[in-house]
Amino acid sequence: FSASYINVGNKYASTKYGNLNFSFNTYQKLKSVQLTLSEVSGDVNITSCTFRAALPFEFSNLRFICLFVLLAALLAVITFKLYTAVYNRNSLKHKLIIGSLILLCALSIFSFYIPDQSNITYDEQTSMIGKDPYVQMFDAVHNKQLNINIEPSQELLNLQNPYDSSLRRSSNVKFAWDRAFYNGKYYSYYGIAPVFVFYYPFYWITGDLPTLNMASAFFGFLGIIFLCGTILSFIKRFIKQPNFLLLILFLIASCFTCGIYFFIDFSSFYTLAGIASTCFLFLCLWCGFEACNAKSNKKQFALFALCGIAFILCFSSRPTKALSALILAPVFLGVLFNKNLKLKSKIYSVASFIIPVIIGMSAIMWYNYAR
């Protein structure tokens, strides 16, 4: 490869007075390096370049403390035989440990919160150009209209077929990215639930609108709590004597594998739909399992109703995520075919869940049809 440069990797980055790091291995001595900057419209100032054969060793106090705590916890488990402990739902000590753990996991969401971010100033004269779709949908609802307040360019309206994306590109016509264009107006096809659940309450309290990271942190915090509640309700119904240590590890592992950390780490209008629908899905599952565990009829009916509302909120955030609520179907059928329950109680249980779902689905279908 001495006659030409070989591309060892591309890295897209946006930085101001920052560092851009990448690594590669060579099989022999590196003689020269060429940096190529493409798709750059402004000035680029490179103050220094540093090449290292290997990163120098640096002792990390935080890593040492974390490893020390982990090994100390492992030693305590072995020494005191904590792996034999059975979770007691009536024990105050166990409740405090589980409650503290859930709170710690939920608060960990705010480690992804962007510091020093400002609210989005909003009034009826605020331009919606460049705003995220949730701000645009809030503005549309606030102005009692279905379309978002972005005026299409005259060049777009004059095209023979403005819906042809290739024709728009070849004609160099400007159009709103990732918005639906129909009959001379722009619409947002993103789920509207976050607008009513978070954007409106935030506006009523502060007079401003939240950023996408703020909204993601809100739904992520609740999502972790609802996930842990779902796990505890599931275990309460199906596992009589759960292992306490295994339950603790399972709660932590579930928080890391449910996708919420990924969604909030890449806060955008794409991922807000995912984190909001995940939050409402876990609320739906939690209420569903709790309803099946409830001994009081009134409590069961209330939980089934809340389960139906959460299902609609999940569906109106991202419809495909709501399919995961089918995990409740066998449990619901178990309630319907329970011979110990009266027919009247079964009818009320079904009605408590179905009525909110029918009302919510009708509202969503009306909203989509109207647009």
Side-chain angles (χ1 to χ4, degrees):
F1 300 132
S2 59
S4 62
Y5 289 96
I6 300 301
N7 184 16
V8 297
N10 295 316
K11 188 160 188 176
Y12 291 90
S14 176
T15 179
K16 184 176 182 181
Y17 302 108
N19 298 322
L20 178 62
N21 302 312
F22 59 93
S23 62
F24 54 90
N25 294 320
T26 58
Y27 66 94
Q28 285 188 358
K29 185 178 180 181
L30 188 67
K31 295 181 179 180
S32 62
V33 174
Q34 176 177 300
L35 302 179
T36 303
L37 305 179
S38 60
E39 302 180 15
V40 176
S41 57
D43 296 333
V44 177
N45 297 318
I46 300 177
T47 56
S48 64
C49 289
T50 304
F51 296 90
R52 295 189 177 97
L55 290 175
F57 174 77
E58 183 177 350
F59 185 83
S60 172
N61 293 326
L62 180 61
R63 182 176 297 176
F64 174 80
I65 293 173
C66 290
L67 287 173
F68 179 81
V69 171
L70 182 63
L71 290 174
L74 181 61
L75 184 62
V77 168
I78 297 173
T79 303
F80 299 105
K81 297 183 178 181
L82 300 179
Y83 50 83
T84 61
V86 175
Y87 174 53
N88 183 2
R89 299 178 182 87
N90 299 319
S91 171
L92 179 61
K93 184 190 295 185
H94 285 193
K95 288 181 179 179
L96 289 175
I97 293 174
I98 293 297
S100 301
L101 178 66
I102 294 173
L103 181 61
L104 180 63
C105 290
L107 289 175
S108 69
I109 287 295
F110 292 99
S111 62
F112 297 93
Y113 187 82
I114 299 175
D116 302 326
Q117 57 181 322
S118 302
N119 300 342
I120 299 174
T121 304
Y122 173 79
D123 56 50
E124 294 183 357
Q125 285 72 43
T126 302
S127 173
M128 289 296 107
I129 298 177
K131 303 295 184 183
D132 68 76
Y134 293 97
V135 171
Q136 295 170 349
M137 284 191 293
F138 172 88
D139 177 71
V141 174
H142 196 65
N143 290 295
K144 298 180 175 61
Q145 62 189 44
L146 296 169
N147 62 289
I148 58 179
N149 282 322
I150 299 180
E151 290 294 330
S153 63
Q154 193 59 44
E155 292 82 2
L156 178 63
L157 297 175
N158 292 337
L159 284 179
Q160 183 179 3
N161 183 5
Y163 309 112
D164 188 341
S165 59
S166 59
L167 180 61
R168 293 198 301 256
R169 291 189 181 94
S170 62
S171 304
N172 198 26
V173 170
K174 293 183 179 180
F175 59 95
W177 173 255
D178 226 343
R179 304 297 185 273
F181 176 72
Y182 181 66
N183 281 351
K185 295 180 179 180
Y186 281 114
Y187 298 87
S188 174
Y189 55 80
Y190 288 84
I192 199 169
V195 173
F196 292 110
V197 174
F198 184 65
Y199 278 73
Y200 255 109
F202 192 94
Y203 175 73
W204 290 330
I205 295 172
T206 66
D208 297 327
L209 294 180
T211 65
L212 289 166
N213 182 256
M214 292 176 182
S216 297
F218 171 79
F219 289 113
F221 177 81
L222 292 181
I224 292 295
I225 295 176
F226 296 157
L227 166 64
C228 295
T230 300
I231 293 172
L232 293 174
S233 296
F234 182 89
I235 289 175
K236 182 179 180 180
R237 181 166 183 81
F238 295 106
I239 303 176
K240 293 182 178 181
Q241 292 183 322
N243 182 282
F244 190 39
L245 180 61
L246 191 60
L247 173 60
I248 291 174
L249 296 176
F250 183 59
L251 288 172
I252 297 173
S254 298
C255 293
F256 278 97
T257 55
C258 67
I260 288 180
Y261 289 118
F262 170 82
F263 285 135
I264 192 173
D265 191 34
F266 297 94
S267 299
S268 70
F269 56 86
Y270 294 112
T271 56
L272 181 56
I275 198 169
S277 59
T278 301
C279 171
F280 294 131
L281 172 65
F282 289 145
L283 177 60
C284 175
L285 298 179
W286 186 13
C287 293
F289 285 122
E290 276 296 307
C292 296
N293 293 332
K295 297 180 181 179
S296 168
N297 286 338
K298 291 183 178 180
K299 182 180 179 181
Q300 187 178 62
F301 302 153
L303 287 169
F304 273 129
L306 188 57
C307 178
I309 294 172
F311 176 81
I312 289 299
L313 291 173
C314 177
F315 188 88
S316 55
S317 298
R318 172 168 281 175
T320 53
K321 185 65 69 70
L323 291 171
S324 299
L326 286 173
I327 192 175
L328 290 172
V331 187
F332 284 3
L333 290 174
V335 173
L336 291 177
F337 291 104
N338 189 346
K339 297 180 180 180
N340 297 324
L341 294 178
K342 296 180 181 180
L343 179 61
K344 184 179 179 180
S345 178
K346 294 179 181 180
I347 293 174
Y348 282 159
S349 297
V350 172
S352 300
F353 175 77
I354 290 295
I355 290 176
V357 171
I358 292 176
I359 294 174
M361 284 293 185
S362 300
I364 293 171
M365 288 188 287
W366 172 88
Y367 176 63
N368 290 335
Y369 178 77
R371 293 187 298 168

